[in-house]
């Protein structure tokens, strides 16, 4: 990775994370334990590894928890600055709102819910070589119809911002990471919500600004949905997604200190088991994230699922593609399948089947 100097970083972490409810009722999305560490740790490690030191966090929802955890950032070799929006200003408004904290001529802006392997040095080099007002990381994806697409011309300049369409003319999508000139940020409207995707970028293009694309094919994932969240966590555990903030060696599982796992339990496919969590005899936990103090009883199966802090899964229960809020309880023998979400502290009673070979 090319080292970057002379830029600030801005990370947008003020969203409500509605698609990840109920997990985001108690913690903002960037603070959710992902491969054993808050999601944001992985992104900050990438920023630090690239050689950027000054990072401004644009916060709004549950702003205080970021400072409580990361403090001044010195433990990660960073200098962290916090800006709080009283009312959420949306992505563009949040960028404008941190302008007076920026020190360099250019700032790299990150959505706080993206896992990516893009080379930040190469992104900034592209920006400087092109002399662009804004350079967008554009990711090539297999199915662009699920996203808005961003075509570029032969010189790599952005030519349009297109809505989602089955007939997308390019496989390049906005990857949620940009280099902005500070003076471009300073021209954005203040004090009101602005969407960078829907208002700022199309407006800049219409005004003849130079928007450059940095097209990339390395690892990229938006972890905004439960399915993507468990996949991202498992990819980090297995070393498929890059991070130097993993609190253990890369492998098929990550069992944190203070967790208790029965000898014959099968923890696999990049699962992580948080401190104080327990997994009983004969249970199988695959591609899942167990938050601190959650419990999986004997013989239960937890597949591609997230268990919130202190959530409990009863004997022989089966969960596939499920989210349990903090302290939720799924009784013995229950079966919950794709998309089911159990709200915090809700209890689903035991079903009258028994798990054991003599049942
Ligand atoms: P959903 O509600 O599930 O869509 O999630 P979200 O609220 O995080 O929104 P989205 O995924 O579109 O946001 C992209 C990035 O921008 C995330 O890192 C958010 O934290 C951040 N973000 C969204 N809205 C705001 C805002 O009003 N202020 C700030 N500071 N950040 C925001």
């Amino acid at each position: 990775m090319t080292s970057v100097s002379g830029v600030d970083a801005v990370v947008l972490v003020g969203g409500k994370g509605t698609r990840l409810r109920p997990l985001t009722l108690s913690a903002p999305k960037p603070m959710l334990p992902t491969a054993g560490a808050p999601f944001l740790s992985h992104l900050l490690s990438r920023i630090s590894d690239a050689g950027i030191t000054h990072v401004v966090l644009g916060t709004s929802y549950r702003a205080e928890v970021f400072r409580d955890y990361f403090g001044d950032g010195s433990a990660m070799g960073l200098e962290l600055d916090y800006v709080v929006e009283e009312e959420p200003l949306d992505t563009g408004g949040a960028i404008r709102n941190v302008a007076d904290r920026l020190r360099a001529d250019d700032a790299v802006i990150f959505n706080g819910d993206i896992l990516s392997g893009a080379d930040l040095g190469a992104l900034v080099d592209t920006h400087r070589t092109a002399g662009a007002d804004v350079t967008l990381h554009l990711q090539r994806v297999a199915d662009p119809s699920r996203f808005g697409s961003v075509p570029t011309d032969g010189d790599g300049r952005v030519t349009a911002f297109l809505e989602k369409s089955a007939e997308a003319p390019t496989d390049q999508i906005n990857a949620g990471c940009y280099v902005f000139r500070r003076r471009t940020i300073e021209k954005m409207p203040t004090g009101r919500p602005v969407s960078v995707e829907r208002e700022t970028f199309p407006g800049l293009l219409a005004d003849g600004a130079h928007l450059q694309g940095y097209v990339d094919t390395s690892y990229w994932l938006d972890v905004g949905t439960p399915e993507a969240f468990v996949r991202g966590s498992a990819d980090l555990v297995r070393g498929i997604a890059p991070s130097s903030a993993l609190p253990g060696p890369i492998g098929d599982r990550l069992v944190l200190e203070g967790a208790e796992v029965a000898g014959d339990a099968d923890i696999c496919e990049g699962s992580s088991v948080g401190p104080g969590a327990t997994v009983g005899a004969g249970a199988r936990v695959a591609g899942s994230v167990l938050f601190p103090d959650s419990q999986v009883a004997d013989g239960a199966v937890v597949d591609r699922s997230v268990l919130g802090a202190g959530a409990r899964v009863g004997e022989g229960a089966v969960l596939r593609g499920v989210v349990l809020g903090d302290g939720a309880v799924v009784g013995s023998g229950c079966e919950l399948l794709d998309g089911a979400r159990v709200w915090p502290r809700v209890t689903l009673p035991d079903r009258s089947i028994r798990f054991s070979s003599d049942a």
Side-chain angles (χ1 to χ4, degrees):
M1 177 169 308
T2 332
S3 182
V4 193
S5 60
V7 297
D8 301 293
V10 175
V11 187
L12 305 180
V13 292
K16 290 204 168 79
T18 48
R19 290 167 296 159
L20 273 176
R21 281 185 189 157
L23 300 170
T24 44
L25 295 175
S26 57
K29 177 167 52 176
M31 291 304 291
L32 293 177
T34 317
F39 182 83
L40 186 57
S41 313
H42 302 293
L43 175 53
L44 291 178
S45 78
R46 186 166 152 249
I47 292 172
S48 174
D49 290 348
I52 304 175
T53 50
H54 180 229
V55 183
V56 186
L57 293 187
T59 69
S60 171
Y61 174 66
R62 307 292 312 272
E64 67 295 344
V65 298
F66 295 99
R67 193 191 293 269
D68 289 349
Y69 188 88
F70 291 105
D72 65 3
S74 52
M76 301 187 82
L78 296 171
E79 194 187 334
L80 288 183
D81 236 344
Y82 298 86
V83 175
V84 183
E85 295 150 37
E86 296 309 326
E87 292 297 324
L89 291 170
D90 205 344
T91 45
I95 296 170
R96 177 65 184 91
N97 194 49
V98 303
D100 63 354
R101 303 294 179 97
L102 302 177
R103 302 167 183 172
D105 289 338
D106 295 305
V108 190
I109 317 286
F110 298 85
N111 278 359
D113 55 357
I114 302 287
L115 265 183
S116 160
D119 182 334
L120 297 177
L123 172 71
V124 173
D125 280 350
T126 300
H127 178 72
R128 289 177 173 156
T129 306
D133 296 303
V134 180
T135 299
L136 294 89
H137 168 201
L138 303 178
Q139 183 73 18
R140 297 187 65 186
V141 294
D143 178 13
S145 66
R146 295 192 298 121
F147 307 87
S149 61
V150 187
T152 45
D153 67 15
D155 297 323
R157 275 181 82 138
V158 172
T159 53
F161 291 92
L162 304 171
E163 300 285 330
K164 279 183 206 177
S165 153
E167 310 280 304
T170 168
D171 59 0
Q172 300 171 182
I173 62 153
N174 175 351
C177 174
Y178 329 104
V179 190
F180 266 77
R181 280 187 195 229
R182 189 179 58 193
R183 67 164 194 257
T184 304
I185 296 176
E186 286 166 350
K187 286 187 209 148
M188 292 164 68
T190 56
R192 68 168 175 88
V194 174
S195 161
V196 76
E197 301 88 355
R198 288 187 299 280
E199 182 175 338
T200 309
F201 290 144
L204 284 169
L205 199 60
D207 291 346
H210 182 165
L211 302 184
Q212 189 72 20
Y214 170 77
V215 180
D216 195 52
T217 53
S218 57
Y219 183 92
W220 183 85
L221 185 68
D222 172 344
V223 302
T225 62
E227 304 75 44
F229 179 76
V230 288
R231 182 144 53 90
S233 183
D235 285 350
L236 283 162
V237 169
R238 293 192 286 190
I240 298 167
S243 169
S244 51
L246 212 62
I250 288 172
D252 200 39
R253 71 191 64 79
L254 178 64
V255 178
L256 293 195
E257 213 175 305
E260 270 178 48
V261 175
D264 65 348
D266 183 16
I267 314 283
C268 58
E269 296 177 16
S271 292
S272 57
V273 182
T278 59
V279 181
R284 177 178 160 82
V285 177
S288 294
V289 184
L290 272 48
F291 284 11
D293 304 316
S294 56
Q295 298 175 18
V296 177
D298 296 355
V301 174
V302 177
D303 181 24
R304 294 170 290 109
S305 298
V306 190
L307 271 50
R312 302 205 313 263
V313 178
E315 263 187 47
V318 176
L319 273 59
R320 298 190 197 280
V322 171
V323 176
L324 300 189
D326 295 345
V329 178
V330 174
S332 307
C334 288
E335 187 179 26
L336 293 180
L337 297 180
D338 289 301
R341 299 180 193 211
V342 183
W343 240 241
R345 288 166 288 284
V346 167
T347 296
L348 303 183
D350 294 349
R351 286 187 58 202
S352 55
I353 61 165
R354 289 177 53 206
F355 167 77
S356 76
S357 48
D358 60 347

